[in-house]
Amino acid sequence: MPPTDRKTLTDRTTLSRNEIETGTQLAPKFDADGLVPAIATDADSGEVLMLAYMNAEALERTLATGEAHYWSRSRGELWHKGATSGQVQKIVELRVDCDQDTILIRVRPQGDGGCCHVGFRTCFFRVADRDGALTRDQDPL
């Protein structure tokens, strides 16, 4: 997909603290690596599906296309969620927290409805016991 020429992000250095925290301009606070965490939840159930990261290009493409794009830290490349698996995430709503250093996206997963690259509906398919043991609370799709 070619880069988008749509510019929806505001340079946060041009905004006051109040404008960042309560204003109307999208001005995410990217970390030193140029990334912001993005939490994807199921738009209907509210279930947390995954945590990933977005750079400015991924966020711009997400806004432009209505489908989730992320930055793969392990592969060092832009990633259109579901491009190969069919588990495209259709955006229902995108939110930022008060200081704009975290993105929350409500999505409708396509394909088999899954999200996790190891075959589960959500990446959070294990529960940690107090002793550190992990137990699955769902089966693979």
Side-chain angles (χ1 to χ4, degrees), residues 78-103:
L78 193 65
W79 159 43
H80 177 201
K81 176 65 177 155
T84 57
S85 68
Q87 297 172 337
V88 171
Q89 294 178 345
K90 299 282 187 178
I91 305 298
V92 172
E93 181 180 63
L94 188 143
R95 292 176 171 252
V96 295
D97 69 341
C98 56
D99 54 1
Q100 298 198 44
D101 66 356
T102 304
I103 305 290

mmCIF file of all heavy atoms in Angstrom, residues 78-103:
data_model
loop_
_atom_site.group_PDB
_atom_site.id
_atom_site.type_symbol
_atom_site.label_atom_id
_atom_site.label_comp_id
_atom_site.label_asym_id
_atom_site.label_seq_id
_atom_site.Cartn_x
_atom_site.Cartn_y
_atom_site.Cartn_z
ATOM 1 N N LEU A 78 6.122 -2.033 8.907
ATOM 2 C CA LEU A 78 4.698 -1.749 9.015
ATOM 3 C C LEU A 78 3.930 -3.050 8.792
ATOM 4 O O LEU A 78 4.322 -3.882 7.970
ATOM 5 C CB LEU A 78 4.306 -0.710 7.959
ATOM 6 C CG LEU A 78 2.949 -0.065 8.123
ATOM 7 C CD1 LEU A 78 2.896 0.780 9.391
ATOM 8 C CD2 LEU A 78 2.642 0.795 6.915
ATOM 9 N N TRP A 79 2.827 -3.206 9.519
ATOM 10 C CA TRP A 79 2.074 -4.445 9.504
ATOM 11 C C TRP A 79 0.592 -4.122 9.422
ATOM 12 O O TRP A 79 0.057 -3.453 10.294
ATOM 13 C CB TRP A 79 2.464 -5.203 10.772
ATOM 14 C CG TRP A 79 1.582 -6.255 11.300
ATOM 15 C CD1 TRP A 79 0.923 -7.229 10.619
ATOM 16 C CD2 TRP A 79 1.300 -6.484 12.688
ATOM 17 N NE1 TRP A 79 0.245 -8.038 11.495
ATOM 18 C CE2 TRP A 79 0.460 -7.612 12.760
ATOM 19 C CE3 TRP A 79 1.680 -5.851 13.873
ATOM 20 C CZ2 TRP A 79 -0.002 -8.108 13.966
ATOM 21 C CZ3 TRP A 79 1.215 -6.350 15.061
ATOM 22 C CH2 TRP A 79 0.382 -7.474 15.101
ATOM 23 N N HIS A 80 -0.063 -4.554 8.345
ATOM 24 C CA HIS A 80 -1.509 -4.428 8.190
ATOM 25 C C HIS A 80 -2.112 -5.681 8.802
ATOM 26 O O HIS A 80 -1.998 -6.772 8.247
ATOM 27 C CB HIS A 80 -1.878 -4.297 6.718
ATOM 28 C CG HIS A 80 -3.346 -4.245 6.466
ATOM 29 N ND1 HIS A 80 -3.893 -4.540 5.247
ATOM 30 C CD2 HIS A 80 -4.396 -3.923 7.268
ATOM 31 C CE1 HIS A 80 -5.202 -4.425 5.302
ATOM 32 N NE2 HIS A 80 -5.532 -4.047 6.520
ATOM 33 N N LYS A 81 -2.728 -5.555 9.963
ATOM 34 C CA LYS A 81 -3.274 -6.702 10.687
ATOM 35 C C LYS A 81 -4.243 -7.461 9.803
ATOM 36 O O LYS A 81 -5.201 -6.894 9.279
ATOM 37 C CB LYS A 81 -3.960 -6.246 11.984
ATOM 38 C CG LYS A 81 -4.633 -7.357 12.758
ATOM 39 C CD LYS A 81 -3.648 -8.365 13.277
ATOM 40 C CE LYS A 81 -4.361 -9.424 14.110
ATOM 41 N NZ LYS A 81 -3.629 -10.667 14.134
ATOM 42 N N GLY A 82 -3.959 -8.746 9.611
ATOM 43 C CA GLY A 82 -4.841 -9.606 8.844
ATOM 44 C C GLY A 82 -4.515 -9.711 7.370
ATOM 45 O O GLY A 82 -5.179 -10.446 6.651
ATOM 46 N N ALA A 83 -3.504 -9.004 6.898
ATOM 47 C CA ALA A 83 -3.167 -9.034 5.473
ATOM 48 C C ALA A 83 -2.867 -10.455 4.991
ATOM 49 O O ALA A 83 -3.213 -10.808 3.868
ATOM 50 C CB ALA A 83 -1.997 -8.107 5.175
ATOM 51 N N THR A 84 -2.249 -11.260 5.842
ATOM 52 C CA THR A 84 -1.964 -12.645 5.449
ATOM 53 C C THR A 84 -2.877 -13.651 6.154
ATOM 54 O O THR A 84 -3.196 -14.685 5.588
ATOM 55 C CB THR A 84 -0.485 -13.014 5.727
ATOM 56 O OG1 THR A 84 -0.202 -12.792 7.106
ATOM 57 C CG2 THR A 84 0.451 -12.180 4.875
ATOM 58 N N SER A 85 -3.339 -13.341 7.360
ATOM 59 C CA SER A 85 -4.154 -14.293 8.131
ATOM 60 C C SER A 85 -5.644 -14.169 7.854
ATOM 61 O O SER A 85 -6.409 -15.065 8.195
ATOM 62 C CB SER A 85 -3.930 -14.074 9.634
ATOM 63 O OG SER A 85 -4.469 -12.820 10.037
ATOM 64 N N GLY A 86 -6.074 -13.044 7.302
ATOM 65 C CA GLY A 86 -7.504 -12.793 7.122
ATOM 66 C C GLY A 86 -8.161 -12.192 8.348
ATOM 67 O O GLY A 86 -9.337 -11.849 8.330
ATOM 68 N N GLN A 87 -7.402 -12.032 9.433
ATOM 69 C CA GLN A 87 -7.941 -11.492 10.685
ATOM 70 C C GLN A 87 -7.841 -9.962 10.708
ATOM 71 O O GLN A 87 -7.400 -9.362 11.679
ATOM 72 C CB GLN A 87 -7.201 -12.104 11.874
ATOM 73 C CG GLN A 87 -7.379 -13.591 11.974
ATOM 74 C CD GLN A 87 -6.497 -14.219 13.038
ATOM 75 O OE1 GLN A 87 -5.463 -13.679 13.422
ATOM 76 N NE2 GLN A 87 -6.901 -15.372 13.518
ATOM 77 N N VAL A 88 -8.293 -9.345 9.622
ATOM 78 C CA VAL A 88 -8.299 -7.881 9.518
ATOM 79 C C VAL A 88 -9.119 -7.314 10.665
ATOM 80 O O VAL A 88 -10.146 -7.888 11.046
ATOM 81 C CB VAL A 88 -8.888 -7.450 8.156
ATOM 82 C CG1 VAL A 88 -9.126 -5.945 8.100
ATOM 83 C CG2 VAL A 88 -7.987 -7.910 7.019
ATOM 84 N N GLN A 89 -8.658 -6.212 11.211
ATOM 85 C CA GLN A 89 -9.391 -5.540 12.281
ATOM 86 C C GLN A 89 -10.025 -4.271 11.728
ATOM 87 O O GLN A 89 -9.340 -3.300 11.429
ATOM 88 C CB GLN A 89 -8.458 -5.213 13.437
ATOM 89 C CG GLN A 89 -7.926 -6.440 14.127
ATOM 90 C CD GLN A 89 -6.955 -6.126 15.247
ATOM 91 O OE1 GLN A 89 -6.454 -5.018 15.370
ATOM 92 N NE2 GLN A 89 -6.684 -7.110 16.078
ATOM 93 N N LYS A 90 -11.346 -4.297 11.577
ATOM 94 C CA LYS A 90 -12.095 -3.133 11.120
ATOM 95 C C LYS A 90 -12.282 -2.187 12.305
ATOM 96 O O LYS A 90 -12.780 -2.599 13.353
ATOM 97 C CB LYS A 90 -13.464 -3.533 10.568
ATOM 98 C CG LYS A 90 -13.393 -4.460 9.367
ATOM 99 C CD LYS A 90 -13.059 -3.705 8.117
ATOM 100 C CE LYS A 90 -13.164 -4.623 6.910
ATOM 101 N NZ LYS A 90 -12.890 -3.934 5.674
ATOM 102 N N ILE A 91 -11.895 -0.947 12.132
ATOM 103 C CA ILE A 91 -11.968 0.030 13.212
ATOM 104 C C ILE A 91 -13.400 0.521 13.387
ATOM 105 O O ILE A 91 -14.044 0.956 12.436
ATOM 106 C CB ILE A 91 -11.048 1.240 12.931
ATOM 107 C CG1 ILE A 91 -9.615 0.789 12.674
ATOM 108 C CG2 ILE A 91 -11.129 2.262 14.062
ATOM 109 C CD1 ILE A 91 -8.933 0.086 13.816
ATOM 110 N N VAL A 92 -13.896 0.462 14.602
ATOM 111 C CA VAL A 92 -15.188 1.023 14.958
ATOM 112 C C VAL A 92 -14.976 2.386 15.614
ATOM 113 O O VAL A 92 -15.703 3.336 15.341
ATOM 114 C CB VAL A 92 -15.963 0.071 15.897
ATOM 115 C CG1 VAL A 92 -17.226 0.719 16.428
ATOM 116 C CG2 VAL A 92 -16.273 -1.240 15.176
ATOM 117 N N GLU A 93 -13.934 2.462 16.452
ATOM 118 C CA GLU A 93 -13.648 3.717 17.161
ATOM 119 C C GLU A 93 -12.181 3.713 17.571
ATOM 120 O O GLU A 93 -11.642 2.681 17.962
ATOM 121 C CB GLU A 93 -14.540 3.811 18.396
ATOM 122 C CG GLU A 93 -14.366 5.068 19.202
ATOM 123 C CD GLU A 93 -15.291 5.093 20.403
ATOM 124 O OE1 GLU A 93 -15.172 4.223 21.293
ATOM 125 O OE2 GLU A 93 -16.147 6.004 20.448
ATOM 126 N N LEU A 94 -11.546 4.868 17.471
ATOM 127 C CA LEU A 94 -10.181 5.038 17.936
ATOM 128 C C LEU A 94 -10.186 6.135 18.989
ATOM 129 O O LEU A 94 -10.733 7.209 18.765
ATOM 130 C CB LEU A 94 -9.262 5.421 16.772
ATOM 131 C CG LEU A 94 -7.766 5.437 17.084
ATOM 132 C CD1 LEU A 94 -6.972 4.938 15.893
ATOM 133 C CD2 LEU A 94 -7.282 6.806 17.499
ATOM 134 N N ARG A 95 -9.592 5.838 20.130
ATOM 135 C CA ARG A 95 -9.521 6.789 21.244
ATOM 136 C C ARG A 95 -8.075 6.973 21.670
ATOM 137 O O ARG A 95 -7.242 6.105 21.419
ATOM 138 C CB ARG A 95 -10.308 6.275 22.457
ATOM 139 C CG ARG A 95 -11.798 6.223 22.260
ATOM 140 C CD ARG A 95 -12.487 5.617 23.487
ATOM 141 N NE ARG A 95 -13.918 5.765 23.367
ATOM 142 C CZ ARG A 95 -14.653 6.612 24.093
ATOM 143 N NH1 ARG A 95 -14.090 7.367 25.022
ATOM 144 N NH2 ARG A 95 -15.939 6.697 23.913
ATOM 145 N N VAL A 96 -7.804 8.079 22.333
ATOM 146 C CA VAL A 96 -6.512 8.287 22.987
ATOM 147 C C VAL A 96 -6.774 8.555 24.453
ATOM 148 O O VAL A 96 -7.851 9.022 24.819
ATOM 149 C CB VAL A 96 -5.710 9.464 22.370
ATOM 150 C CG1 VAL A 96 -5.322 9.159 20.942
ATOM 151 C CG2 VAL A 96 -6.473 10.767 22.452
ATOM 152 N N ASP A 97 -5.774 8.249 25.294
ATOM 153 C CA ASP A 97 -5.930 8.561 26.709
ATOM 154 C C ASP A 97 -5.639 10.041 26.922
ATOM 155 O O ASP A 97 -5.315 10.780 25.985
ATOM 156 C CB ASP A 97 -5.061 7.652 27.580
ATOM 157 C CG ASP A 97 -3.576 7.910 27.455
ATOM 158 O OD1 ASP A 97 -3.139 8.529 26.459
ATOM 159 O OD2 ASP A 97 -2.837 7.505 28.361
ATOM 160 N N CYS A 98 -5.734 10.492 28.168
ATOM 161 C CA CYS A 98 -5.683 11.926 28.478
ATOM 162 C C CYS A 98 -4.397 12.611 28.033
ATOM 163 O O CYS A 98 -4.444 13.757 27.578
ATOM 164 C CB CYS A 98 -5.932 12.165 29.965
ATOM 165 S SG CYS A 98 -4.797 11.250 31.029
ATOM 166 N N ASP A 99 -3.252 11.958 28.134
ATOM 167 C CA ASP A 99 -2.019 12.620 27.693
ATOM 168 C C ASP A 99 -1.562 12.113 26.328
ATOM 169 O O ASP A 99 -0.461 12.417 25.883
ATOM 170 C CB ASP A 99 -0.903 12.520 28.739
ATOM 171 C CG ASP A 99 -0.606 11.102 29.166
ATOM 172 O OD1 ASP A 99 -1.250 10.166 28.652
ATOM 173 O OD2 ASP A 99 0.285 10.921 30.011
ATOM 174 N N GLN A 100 -2.410 11.369 25.669
ATOM 175 C CA GLN A 100 -2.211 10.892 24.303
ATOM 176 C C GLN A 100 -0.958 10.033 24.137
ATOM 177 O O GLN A 100 -0.303 10.076 23.105
ATOM 178 C CB GLN A 100 -2.205 12.065 23.308
ATOM 179 C CG GLN A 100 -3.513 12.827 23.275
ATOM 180 C CD GLN A 100 -3.689 13.665 22.043
ATOM 181 O OE1 GLN A 100 -3.407 13.227 20.935
ATOM 182 N NE2 GLN A 100 -4.163 14.896 22.222
ATOM 183 N N ASP A 101 -0.657 9.223 25.168
ATOM 184 C CA ASP A 101 0.481 8.318 25.010
ATOM 185 C C ASP A 101 0.058 6.849 24.916
ATOM 186 O O ASP A 101 0.884 5.952 24.966
ATOM 187 C CB ASP A 101 1.534 8.520 26.106
ATOM 188 C CG ASP A 101 1.052 8.143 27.497
ATOM 189 O OD1 ASP A 101 -0.130 7.784 27.668
ATOM 190 O OD2 ASP A 101 1.868 8.217 28.425
ATOM 191 N N THR A 102 -1.240 6.620 24.746
ATOM 192 C CA THR A 102 -1.768 5.280 24.511
ATOM 193 C C THR A 102 -2.991 5.394 23.606
ATOM 194 O O THR A 102 -3.822 6.292 23.786
ATOM 195 C CB THR A 102 -2.174 4.579 25.826
ATOM 196 O OG1 THR A 102 -1.050 4.564 26.705
ATOM 197 C CG2 THR A 102 -2.646 3.163 25.585
ATOM 198 N N ILE A 103 -3.076 4.482 22.654
ATOM 199 C CA ILE A 103 -4.208 4.415 21.726
ATOM 200 C C ILE A 103 -5.094 3.240 22.146
ATOM 201 O O ILE A 103 -4.598 2.177 22.509
ATOM 202 C CB ILE A 103 -3.718 4.165 20.283
ATOM 203 C CG1 ILE A 103 -2.688 5.209 19.836
ATOM 204 C CG2 ILE A 103 -4.876 4.042 19.309
ATOM 205 C CD1 ILE A 103 -3.217 6.575 19.611
#
